Structure formats: C-alpha cells, structure tokens
Amino acid sequence: MLKHFHIHNCAIGYFPRRSSAYARTMQHYDSSVAFLGTWGRFQLMVFFLLCSTILPNGTGTFSLVFITDTPQHRCRIPEANLTPEWRVAAAPLEVIDGEPQPSRCRRYRSDVLRKLSAGGLMPGRDVNLSSLEQEDCADGWAYSTDVYMSTVVSEVWPQTSSVCQFNRPDRLHAAADGRAVMGGTEILTGNARVAYSSTGVCLGFAFGYMTLPLLAFFLRSWKMLLLALALPGFFFLPLWWIIPESPMWLLSQGRVTEAEAIVRKAAKMNRVVAPERIFGDSELHANEERPVERYTVLDLMRKRSIAMTTVLLCWVWFALSICYYGLSLNTSQLHADPYISCFLSAVMEVPAYMSCSLVIRYLPRRLAVVAIFLIVALALFSIQLVPPSILGLAVALEMLGKFAATAGTSLLFAFTAELYPTGLRNSASGICLMVSRTGSCIAPFLIQMNVYFKYLPYITLGTLAMLSVLATLFLPESFGFPLPETLQQIQKRKRVTCSYIRGPKNSKSMKVVENQL
C-alpha cells in the first residue's frame, strides 16, 4: 500500500493480490519465520518506528495551508502629515462576505488626503469620500496580525505587484516515503503486516495531519513553523541503523546468511529459540517460475479496451485529486478560525480510511467509486444553497465532500491495481498517479476562482465529480475477479459500452449495453 504516493492524501486500504511468484515467496518466508510469532517485541518495534516515519508526511503535505495563507490586509497608508481620522478613512470601503471592509487593492490619492488633512477637514463630515479620486496601493499592503504573525504572502509578496490578481503562490504537495511502506510489509508477517499496511500507515498520516494545526497555532510565524516541521526529520536518521533490512529482499538477492542473522536477532529480542536452519532451498527458488508474458508501457494503448480503461482511469484520478487537494487546501477559508477548520479536515481522514477498508471488502468497485463521486458532487453543489447565517452547515457539507474524496483516493489504488495484468500493473498505476499530480497542481489555482464568484470553485469541483461518475460507469468491474496475469484475462471483464446499431432507414442510434470484451 502506498501512502498517496504522496498523499495523502494513505492511498489504499490493503495490498492487492500479488503475482504467483511473489505470493509463493511471501508464503515461504512467512512459514519459515513463523516461530517468531506475530506481535513480539521485534514486530512492535518495527511497527511503531515505521508508523512514526509517516507522521511528518501528514504535517508537511498541507503545511502550506498556513504558510501561504493571506491574512486580512489593506493598502499601506503613509502616516506622514495625516491625522488619525484620515489614516482610518484612507481606503474606500467594499462589501466582503456581507460586511464593509477597507479595500485590499485601492486607496484614495495620498496627495489629496494630505491636503485635506492639512486643511483641518474631517472625512465624512466635511468631505464626501465617494467623490475623491482613487489610486492603486503604491506603498504595498498592511497585513493583520490577528491570526498570523507572518506568512509568505505578508513578508514576501508585498514586493510584487500581482497580489490583488493572485494573492497566493502555487501550493505544492509533499510526497510520502513509499519505500518505508513497502519495507514494512516485507519485514512484518501475518496480522502485523496487514495492520501496518492499512491501519498503521493511514492513521500515521492522519495523526500527523492533526498535529499540523496545533503546531501552527503556537507558531504563528511561517519561518518558525517551517523550522518546526523540518527538525523532526533529523530524529529519523538513526532509524537507518535501527530498522533492519528486509530479510525477504535479502533472500531474493541470494544473501541468505545476512537474512538469517536478522531473523536470529529478532528471535533473541522476542525471547524465542530459532531453529538451526531457518531458510531452506524453497526460499532460494521461490522466484523461479515459468516464463511470463512481458509488457511495456506502450501496451497500455495498443488494445482498444486497455486504452479506453487507461484514459478513463486517468480522468477519474485527475478529477479526484483536484477534489481532494482543493478541499484540503481550502480549509483556511472555511471558518473564521483556520486552525479549527484544518483540524476538522484532518479528523475526517480517520473515518474515511476506516470506511474504505470495509468498502473494499464488500462492495463492487464501480458502485463504490460512483457513490463517492456522487457524494462529493452533491455536497459541493449544496454549499451554495446554505444561507450565510448557517456557517456550520456549509462546513459540514465541505467536510462530507472531503470524507468522500479521501475514501475515494484509497479505493482507486485498489481498483487500478485490480484492472491490469501483473506486467502492466506498476506502469498503469504510475501513469494514473502522474496524471493525478497535475490535478493536485491545478487545485490551488482553481481555489483562487472564488475572487470572481464565491462558489465557483465548488461548482467546478462538483461538475468534475459528476463527469467522473459517467467515466466510472464505462470502466470494467474487478470485484470478485481473480487478479489478471495477462491481457487476455482482462477481456473477460464486464463493462458498460456504447455501441452504434443501425436502426430504420440506416439511421444510427446509441445503445448502452453490458458487454464482455
């Protein structure tokens, strides 16, 4: 299970069934080290140490919610030769969210203000402010320190001239360390492996995410917050010497002596007696198998059915990534307190991961993905119908969308892995992830569309979700099918297809049918 290959966003609630060679290798390894038990001191040490390495991924992925947020601001007014009354009234008022606030991008001409102030005139009483000439913010901006001491926007962007057009830089997402995830699944066995690859990794990311608003609350300067997020990385350096190499990998390289040494050390830690010979000949030859069909990435487009599946999956990944990152990065705009909003967003990850593990076990993949996109779309479309006085309901609807998008990201990893044969599985997953990354890069810009219309980002995300419902309907079903080993096996999968059939007078009509490819 990869952790969002990023991000996030825990990416999958379980490992899909492996190829027969890998499965036999794992089976032989598990039986050989069964004397260690499942939850001894060695396994507990590896479990918690590896879970701890996931925590920084949760804090780092969405740290830019606070680091690049835009505090309340107005045009900076030179204080020289201006009375306090004129400094307060120097910026025209504009209505934002139903409340009059000083303009963020315009002010009254400073030379005119100085003359009026020197003449002893009072704004609003002696001078009609609406008749005064206005100008751009020639001296930069003054930022409120009520929520943040400083952000990248308040310290860096005042030097630029594009704040009013696009007042937040592009947000990049952090990538989770997939190597730690895969290593943990090879070192641990049985229930410990399942617990780590699903619950451990997912909750490790979620708990790390939850600590982010706590750190940001006490460290209101963006530089101090970055430092606090970076320093824990140094504490993980000793794990290079503490966490052992994967014995299974060592066996695959023929390094049996080293693998046995690690297992014997684990036996000593668990206070059990290791057999005289731990690994036999079966482990050394577990990877020897009959020749298998070889594929390249070009095979994803050679056959029409595979090409259509790949294109549709890429779209679904793209749309879901935009929805997930768009909703996650928008948390600072949900509530007057961005720390509460971010914490709620992080908390939603926990039930989303837990529910996804149940969905993967019991529901058909297409039905589950369609339901997820419908929930996202309906929740986002409904936000614009909520009166401003019921802010809590709007927040709840956005959290519902975030819940569904998080669960959907986990589910898509399983769905994608089940649709392709062994030789194409990694290539297909990699292409889908690459396309989804473009979605996460676009998400910050999409959020900025609220400067044109407050609900435009929600309408856009909801529309993408509805289009993805249609795309998902044309994907083949994988639930209940064995994991394919060849392209020919995929042709037995059922999908909804559109075929043109000839009607009366040679006219063409479209009919949706359920076909076996």
Side-chain angles (χ1 to χ4, degrees):
M1 183 188 76
L2 297 181
K3 178 65 187 106
H4 270 209
F5 219 40
H6 42 72
I7 151 145
H8 105 22
N9 185 205
C10 183
I12 182 173
Y14 84 120
F15 271 107
R17 290 154 289 178
R18 305 297 188 124
S19 64
S20 55
Y22 186 93
R24 282 204 300 272
T25 302
M26 185 171 285
Q27 183 179 7
H28 285 300
Y29 173 78
D30 288 357
S31 61
S32 298
V33 301
F35 67 91
L36 290 175
T38 302
W39 287 110
R41 293 172 62 190
F42 173 77
Q43 289 92 341
L44 288 172
M45 177 197 73
V46 172
F47 180 88
F48 285 108
L49 286 179
L50 287 179
C51 286
S52 69
T53 65
I54 305 297
L55 294 174
N57 296 323
T59 57
T61 299
F62 299 112
S63 60
L64 297 183
V65 167
F66 301 104
I67 292 171
T68 63
D69 196 16
T70 304
Q72 290 291 329
H73 59 280
R74 56 175 290 176
C75 287
R76 187 181 300 279
I77 309 299
E79 298 185 4
N81 303 322
L82 286 181
T83 63
E85 293 80 9
W86 278 108
R87 284 198 295 270
V88 172
L93 296 179
E94 58 183 20
V95 178
I96 301 177
D97 295 332
E99 296 182 1
Q101 297 181 15
S103 174
R104 299 177 179 181
C105 299
R106 302 287 289 175
R107 72 181 188 188
Y108 298 118
R109 281 184 53 178
S110 56
D111 58 335
V112 174
L113 295 183
R114 283 194 295 269
K115 291 179 182 179
L116 295 173
S117 178
L121 301 178
M122 297 293 292
R125 186 190 70 183
D126 304 319
V127 179
N128 182 8
L129 295 177
S130 61
S131 64
L132 297 181
E133 244 185 290
Q134 298 180 12
E135 63 182 359
D136 293 332
C137 300
D139 297 294
W141 292 263
Y143 289 85
S144 168
T145 57
D146 293 339
V147 179
Y148 308 105
M149 290 298 297
S150 66
T151 68
V152 171
V153 175
S154 64
E155 287 196 353
V156 179
W157 277 54
Q159 308 303 320
T160 71
S161 59
S162 59
V163 173
C164 292
Q165 287 72 32
F166 189 79
N167 53 20
R168 266 184 289 185
D170 183 19
R171 295 180 171 116
L172 301 178
H173 63 276
D177 191 349
R179 291 168 297 176
V181 179
M182 299 303 294
T185 60
E186 293 185 354
I187 297 176
L188 300 173
T189 60
N191 293 333
R193 176 187 294 140
V194 175
Y196 172 73
S197 61
S198 56
T199 308
V201 175
C202 295
L203 296 185
F205 180 86
F207 289 142
Y209 190 0
M210 284 184 232
T211 62
L212 172 62
L214 181 65
L215 290 172
F217 180 81
F218 289 104
L219 302 171
R220 304 285 181 111
S221 167
W222 70 276
K223 293 178 182 177
M224 294 302 298
L225 179 58
L226 275 181
L227 183 63
L229 296 177
L231 285 178
F234 290 101
F235 295 100
F236 294 111
L237 291 178
L239 296 186
W240 177 271
W241 295 277
I242 297 175
I243 298 178
E245 182 59 86
S246 163
M248 186 184 298
W249 181 82
L250 291 172
L251 287 175
S252 69
Q253 304 299 309
R255 296 157 64 177
V256 182
T257 304
E258 296 176 60
E260 287 200 353
I262 292 174
V263 175
R264 292 188 188 280
K265 184 181 289 187
K268 184 178 181 181
M269 186 178 296
N270 286 359
R271 297 175 182 174
V272 297
V273 179
E276 184 176 347
R277 186 177 182 184
I278 299 176
F279 301 114
D281 294 336
S282 58
E283 285 77 11
L284 299 179
H285 302 288
N287 284 324
E288 295 179 4
E289 192 178 351
R290 69 183 185 279
V292 295
E293 193 173 354
R294 301 292 180 182
Y295 301 105
T296 67
V297 69
L298 297 178
D299 289 302
L300 291 172
M301 293 297 173
R302 284 202 176 114
K303 290 187 176 292
R304 182 174 176 271
S305 60
I306 298 293
M308 185 169 70
T309 297
T310 303
V311 171
L312 291 175
L313 271 178
C314 285
W315 167 260
V316 172
W317 272 98
F318 171 81
L320 192 61
S321 181
I322 288 185
C323 291
Y324 176 82
Y325 279 96
L327 294 174
S328 298
L329 295 174
N330 192 50
T331 53
S332 62
Q333 310 299 318
L334 291 180
H335 191 273
D337 192 331
Y339 306 102
I340 293 178
S341 298
C342 184
F343 182 77
L344 291 176
S345 180
V347 168
M348 293 309 299
E349 303 253 333
V350 177
Y353 295 142
M354 297 295 98
S355 63
C356 185
S357 64
L358 296 176
V359 168
I360 285 175
R361 286 178 173 84
Y362 301 112
L363 290 183
R365 305 297 183 243
R366 280 189 310 198
L367 173 64
V369 175
V370 165
I372 282 170
F373 276 117
L374 284 175
I375 293 173
V376 172
L378 293 176
L380 297 183
F381 284 142
S382 301
I383 289 177
Q384 59 185 314
L385 304 178
V386 178
S389 58
I390 315 179
L391 178 62
L393 179 57
V395 173
L397 287 172
E398 184 150 347
M399 289 299 101
L400 177 62
K402 170 68 186 300
F403 168 87
T406 303
T409 304
S410 299
L411 179 60
L412 274 186
F413 270 89
F415 195 13
T416 303
E418 293 172 348
L419 288 178
Y420 292 93
T422 304
L424 279 177
R425 195 166 297 130
N426 287 338
S427 298
S429 298
I431 288 177
C432 289
L433 286 167
M434 178 186 68
V435 174
S436 74
R437 295 284 70 78
T438 64
S440 61
C441 291
I442 293 173
F445 296 95
L446 187 146
I447 294 173
Q448 298 300 321
M449 294 166 62
N450 61 8
V451 300
Y452 305 106
F453 177 55
K454 181 179 179 180
Y455 300 108
L456 187 56
Y458 299 116
I459 295 173
T460 305
L461 292 176
T463 302
L464 290 175
M466 290 303 298
L467 292 175
S468 298
V469 169
L470 296 177
T472 303
L473 291 175
F474 291 94
L475 287 171
E477 182 56 72
S478 63
F479 184 68
F481 286 88
L483 204 63
E485 293 288 343
T486 65
L487 289 176
Q488 288 71 25
Q489 292 176 358
I490 301 180
Q491 296 179 5
K492 298 179 181 179
R493 300 290 178 85
K494 291 185 177 181
R495 75 161 82 225
V496 177
T497 61
C498 291
S499 60
Y500 286 89
I501 57 175
R502 296 222 174 242
K505 298 181 181 180
N506 295 327
S507 64
K508 290 185 177 180
S509 59
M510 180 174 287
K511 180 180 180 182
V512 179
V513 296
E514 185 84 5
N515 278 348
Q516 279 195 348
L517 299 181

